[in-house]
C-alpha cells in the first residue's frame, strides 16, 4: 500500500489506518467533466477558498467572487501559487502573503461566508465542508486527463488541504486515566486525545489522497495521448480515439458521449503489453481507493443525525412514496429479491436511479416511524403481540426490504449523486469533525472514480484498435 506506482509489484492493495507521511502539506483541487457529475455534493459554493483560475465554475456562488468583484487577496493567492520553489525563510514577502491568506481564511470562517457581517452566515461545519468541495473543484475541475497534476495545482491542493485539516488537531475528547504520583499515590486525571473517529479516519484519508496523486504521477510518460475534439493532429488520424471508434457501444462508465472531454488516442497497433499491465494495475489500485473512500463517507453520513426538517417532510404513506408496483413487489413477495426488482424497473439513467433512491429512502423512514408509533390496541391484539415476533410486523419488514433495495441500488450505481437525506444531513450538520471527514472522503471518492474511468477509456480504445488490426 505504501507504494502503488510500480507496475510490476503485487496488485494486492491494503488500506491500513496508519498515519501517512506529510502527504497533504501543500495541495489544491479542480473538477473534470466526470468529477463534476460524480462529486456527491449539492452544497453551495463557498467563498472560503479563492481560486487562481478565473474560469473556475465554483466562483459563481461566492459573494466575493463574481467577475465584477474581485477579492482583495485574489492577487495574493495567485502569487502564492507561483512561489512553489521558495520557502518562507528565503522570501520575507512570502511571510506577508501567507499572513494575508490566513487572515482571510480566519475571517470567512468567523463570518460563516456572510461578507455583510450581519450574522446570517452558515455554520462553521458547513463553511469548511463547502471550502473542501470548492477546493477540489478549483484544482481538479479542469484536470480531465490521465496525467500528473500541474505542479501549481498540486501545491495549491496540499497547502490548502493542510490548512483545512489542521482544524482536526484541536478536536479532542477527554478520558480518565490513572496517574501515579512520586509518593506512590494513584490519582484519576482527565487527559485529552484525538477524537476516535478523526484518529481512525483522517490518517486513512491522507494516505488515500497521497496514493491517488501517485497514480496520476505514474502517467508522466505514456504510449497514449489526448486530442481535443475538432483539433485532431496528423498523428491522431492514424490512431484510435474513443469517439471515432465507439460510435454505437460506448464504455460502461460513459453511457453517452461526453463531448467536452478530450479524445483518447493510441497508436494504430495499440499499446504495449507492459503499458497495458501498468494501466490495469493502477486501475485496480484506484478502484480499491474508491471503495475505501466510499466506505468512510457512508459511515460518516450514517453517524450524522437525521434533520427534523427531513422527518417532517416525509410522506404519511410509504406506499405513496414508492408507488403501487414497487410496493406490491415488496409487500407480497415471500422472499424479497432487490436485484430482481431493480432488473424489472429498467432504469435508464442516473437521474432515474437517484429519483428512485430518494423515494425508497423516504419510504424506509416512513415505515420505521410508523413501527415506533404507539397505537391503541385491544387486549386481544396485545396478547398476540406478546406471542408473535416483532420482526413480523409489516412496517418493520417493509423498512428492512426498503433498506436492502436502497443498498443494492447504490451498489449498482456507484456514481450516484447524494440523496435528499444525505444533502440535508450535510447542510444541517454542526459537527466540524464529521464535516471535514465527510467532505474529504467525498472528493477523494470522486477523484478515484474519475481515475478508474480515465484508465478504462484508454484500455477500451486499445482493445478496439487491436480488434481492427486483426
Amino acid at each position: 500500500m505504501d507504494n502503488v506506482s510500480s507496475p510490476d509489484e503485487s496488485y494486492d492493495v491494503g488500506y491500513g489506518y496508519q498515519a501517512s507521511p506529510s502527504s497533504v502539506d501543500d495541495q489544491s483541487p479542480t473538477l473534470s467533466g466526470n468529477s463534476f457529475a460524480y462529486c456527491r455534493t449539492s452544497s453551495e459554493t463557498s467563498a472560503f477558498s479563492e481560486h487562481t483560475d478565473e474560469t473556475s465554475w465554483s466562483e459563481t456562488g461566492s459573494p466575493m467572487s463574481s467577475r465584477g468583484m474581485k477579492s482583495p487577496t485574489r492577487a495574493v493567492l495567485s502569487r502564492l501559487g507561483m512561489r512553489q520553489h521558495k520557502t518562507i525563510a528565503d522570501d520575507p514577502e512570502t511571510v506577508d502573503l501567507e499572513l494575508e491568506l490566513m487572515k482571510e481564511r480566519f475571517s470567512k470562517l468567523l463570518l460563516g461566508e456572510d461578507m455583510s457581517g450581519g450574522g446570517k452566515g452558515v455554520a462553521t461545519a458547513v463553511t469548511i465542508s463547502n471550502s473542501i468541495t470548492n477546493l477540489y473543484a478549483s484544482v481538479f475541475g479542469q484536470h480531465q486527463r490521465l496525467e500528473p497534476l500541474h505542479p501549481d495545482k498540486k501545491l495549491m491542493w496540499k497547502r490548502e488541504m493542510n490548512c483545512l485539516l489542521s482544524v482536526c488537531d484541536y478536536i479532542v475528547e477527554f478520558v480518565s486515566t490513572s496517574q501515579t504520583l512520586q509518593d506512590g499515590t494513584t490519582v484519576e486525571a482527565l487527559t485529552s486525545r484525538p477524537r476516535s473517529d478523526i484518529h481512525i479516519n483522517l490518517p486513512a484519508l491522507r494516505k488515500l489522497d497521497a496514493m491517488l496523486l501517485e497514480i496520476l504521477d505514474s502517467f508522466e510518460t505514456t504510449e497514449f495521448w489526448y486530442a481535443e475534439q475538432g483539433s485532431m493532429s496528423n498523428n491522431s488520424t492514424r490512431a484510435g480515439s474513443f469517439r471515432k471508434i465507439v460510435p454505437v457501444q460506448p464504455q460502461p462508465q460513459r453511457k453517452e458521449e461526453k463531448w467536452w472531454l478530450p479524445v483518447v488516442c493510441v497508436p494504430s497497433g495499440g499499446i504495449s503489453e507492459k503499458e497495458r499491465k501498468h494501466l490495469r494495475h493502477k486501475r485496480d489500485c484506484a478502484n480499491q481507493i474508491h471503495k475505501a473512500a466510499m466506505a468512510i463517507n457512508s459511515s460518516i453520513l450514517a453517524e450524522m443525525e437525521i434533520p427534523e426538517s427531513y422527518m417532517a417532510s416525509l410522506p404519511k404513506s410509504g406506499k405513496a412514496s414508492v408507488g403501487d408496483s414497487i410496493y406490491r413487489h415488496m409487500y407480497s413477495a415471500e422472499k424479497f429479491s432487490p436485484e430482481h426488482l431493480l432488473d424489472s424497473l429498467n432504469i435508464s439513467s442516473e437521474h432515474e436511479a437517484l429519483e428512485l433512491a430518494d423515494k425508497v429512502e423516504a419510504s424506509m423512514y416512513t415505515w420505521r416511524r410508523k413501527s415506533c408509533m404507539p397505537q391503541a390496541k385491544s387486549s386481544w391484539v396485545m396478547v398476540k403481540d406478546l406471542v408473535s415476533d416483532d420482526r413480523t410486523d409489516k412496517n418493520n419488514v417493509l423498512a428492512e426490504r426498503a433498506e436492502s433495495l436502497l443498498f443494492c441500488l447504490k451498489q449498482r450505481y456507484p456514481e450516484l449523486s447524494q440523496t435528499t437525506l444525505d444533502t440535508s444531513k450535510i447542510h444541517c450538520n454542526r459537527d466540524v469533525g464529521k464535516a471535514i471527514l465527510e467532505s474529504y472522503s467525498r472528493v477523494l471518492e470522486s477523484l478515484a472514480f474519475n481515475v478508474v474511468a480515465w484508465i478504462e477509456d484508454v484500455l477500451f480504445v486499445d482493445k478496439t484498435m487491436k480488434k481492427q488490426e486483426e
Side-chain angles (χ1 to χ4, degrees):
M1 159 157 181
D2 292 335
N3 184 5
V4 296
S5 60
S6 174
D8 296 326
E9 65 190 34
S10 172
Y11 290 179
D12 185 18
V13 181
Y15 293 94
Y17 285 150
Q18 67 272 18
S20 67
S22 56
S23 58
V24 193
D25 289 339
D26 283 313
Q27 273 174 326
S28 124
T30 323
L31 249 173
S32 78
N34 257 359
S35 59
F36 178 78
Y38 179 68
C39 189
R40 300 196 307 153
T41 180
S42 60
S43 59
E44 295 297 327
T45 302
S46 167
F48 181 83
S49 180
E50 296 291 347
H51 314 296
T52 58
D53 183 2
E54 290 292 333
T55 61
S56 176
W57 67 270
S58 58
E59 286 190 8
T60 57
S62 169
M64 292 294 294
S65 60
S66 65
R67 300 188 183 277
M69 297 176 60
K70 292 187 178 181
S71 171
T73 56
R74 181 178 299 280
V76 170
L77 293 174
S78 300
R79 293 164 66 187
L80 274 175
M82 300 301 295
R83 293 181 176 273
Q84 56 178 325
H85 301 297
K86 294 185 179 182
T87 63
I88 292 179
D90 294 337
D91 189 356
E93 184 182 359
T94 305
V95 178
D96 296 333
L97 297 177
E98 291 283 359
L99 181 59
E100 289 299 320
L101 182 62
M102 293 303 299
K103 286 180 180 179
E104 183 177 23
R105 287 174 175 155
F106 182 68
S107 300
K108 290 180 178 179
L109 276 176
L110 289 180
L111 294 172
E113 303 179 353
D114 179 16
M115 300 298 106
S116 68
K120 299 179 181 179
V122 298
T124 304
V126 179
T127 303
I128 293 183
S129 178
N130 289 348
S131 300
I132 294 176
T133 300
N134 294 335
L135 183 60
Y136 173 80
S138 61
V139 172
F140 293 97
Q142 300 301 320
H143 190 86
Q144 303 170 355
R145 305 182 181 199
L146 200 59
E147 62 187 14
L149 193 63
H150 192 279
D152 291 343
K153 293 292 187 179
K154 181 184 290 189
L155 179 68
M156 179 182 173
W157 172 251
K158 289 182 177 180
R159 183 185 63 239
E160 300 283 324
M161 282 303 300
N162 188 50
C163 180
L164 292 169
L165 297 178
S166 65
V167 178
C168 293
D169 296 338
Y170 303 93
I171 301 177
V172 297
E173 59 186 6
F174 293 94
V175 294
S176 177
T177 58
S178 298
Q179 295 183 358
T180 304
L181 302 180
Q182 293 181 352
D183 59 0
T185 306
T186 302
V187 296
E188 292 286 332
L190 288 177
T191 59
S192 64
R193 66 182 183 186
R195 208 172 70 183
S196 57
D197 59 338
I198 295 176
H199 178 70
I200 294 174
N201 292 312
L202 187 57
L205 291 173
R206 286 179 179 270
K207 187 65 177 179
L208 298 180
D209 187 348
M211 293 174 69
L212 283 172
L213 293 178
E214 279 186 28
I215 291 176
L216 292 177
D217 289 341
S218 68
F219 291 101
E220 184 174 1
T221 303
T222 62
E223 297 178 11
F224 58 90
W225 66 95
Y226 292 87
E228 299 296 336
Q229 188 175 23
S231 60
M232 301 288 288
S233 64
N234 293 333
N235 292 334
S236 303
T237 58
R238 65 177 179 81
S241 71
F242 183 79
R243 295 186 186 86
K244 293 177 65 179
I245 293 179
V246 194
V248 179
Q249 184 62 34
Q251 164 111 329
Q253 273 76 6
R254 293 178 177 173
K255 302 293 183 181
E256 70 285 342
E257 180 177 326
K258 289 183 169 59
W259 53 266
W260 61 89
L261 295 179
V263 180
V264 180
C265 302
V266 299
S268 56
I271 59 178
S272 66
E273 184 60 31
K274 180 180 179 181
E275 181 81 347
R276 197 174 296 115
K277 180 181 178 182
H278 175 67
L279 284 165
R280 289 169 180 166
H281 172 48
K282 296 305 178 183
R283 178 193 59 188
D284 294 340
C285 292
N287 190 45
Q288 292 298 318
I289 294 173
H290 176 257
K291 291 179 179 179
M294 179 181 290
I296 294 175
N297 185 264
S298 299
S299 66
I300 297 301
L301 282 172
E303 293 175 2
M304 291 183 180
E305 295 183 0
I306 301 176
E308 295 183 1
S309 58
Y310 178 82
M311 296 300 295
S313 66
L314 291 176
K316 295 183 178 180
S317 169
K319 178 181 178 180
S321 177
V322 297
D324 292 339
S325 60
I326 297 180
Y327 177 80
R328 282 196 301 269
H329 190 97
M330 296 175 64
Y331 180 70
S332 60
E334 183 176 349
K335 290 185 178 180
F336 177 66
S337 172
E339 292 85 1
H340 177 70
L341 176 56
L342 289 178
D343 292 338
S344 65
L345 293 177
N346 296 323
I347 300 174
S348 59
S349 66
E350 180 185 342
H351 176 74
E352 292 182 4
L354 181 60
E355 186 178 8
L356 176 61
D358 280 331
K359 292 179 179 179
V360 172
E361 196 166 44
S363 64
M364 177 180 69
Y365 283 100
T366 298
W367 286 320
R368 284 182 179 175
R369 182 174 58 182
K370 282 187 175 183
S371 65
C372 297
M373 284 183 177
Q375 300 177 358
K377 300 180 180 180
S378 64
S379 58
W380 173 242
V381 174
M382 294 176 65
V383 171
K384 288 200 302 182
D385 287 346
L386 291 174
V387 177
S388 63
D389 187 353
D390 182 64
R391 291 178 62 86
T392 60
D393 180 76
K394 181 185 71 171
N395 291 318
N396 284 332
V397 172
L398 289 173
E400 290 177 359
R401 291 182 174 182
E403 184 176 10
S404 64
L405 177 60
L406 181 64
F407 177 79
C408 183
L409 183 63
K410 290 183 177 181
Q411 290 292 316
R412 182 171 295 194
Y413 299 94
E415 74 278 13
L416 203 63
S417 302
Q418 291 170 328
T419 63
T420 301
L421 176 58
D422 293 340
T423 303
S424 300
K425 285 183 174 182
I426 293 172
H427 282 296
C428 298
N429 172 55
R430 295 299 179 262
D431 189 313
V432 175
K434 284 185 172 64
I436 292 176
L437 295 176
E438 188 282 326
S439 55
Y440 194 17
S441 61
R442 172 164 35 90
V443 298
L444 293 181
E445 177 187 341
S446 177
L447 178 58
F449 179 85
N450 291 332
V451 171
V452 173
W454 297 335
I455 295 177
E456 290 285 359
D457 285 348
V458 178
L459 291 175
F460 188 86
V461 174
D462 173 64
K463 182 179 179 180
T464 308
M465 285 298 298
K466 288 181 62 179
K467 288 183 177 180
Q468 285 189 345
E469 292 294 322
E470 293 176 356

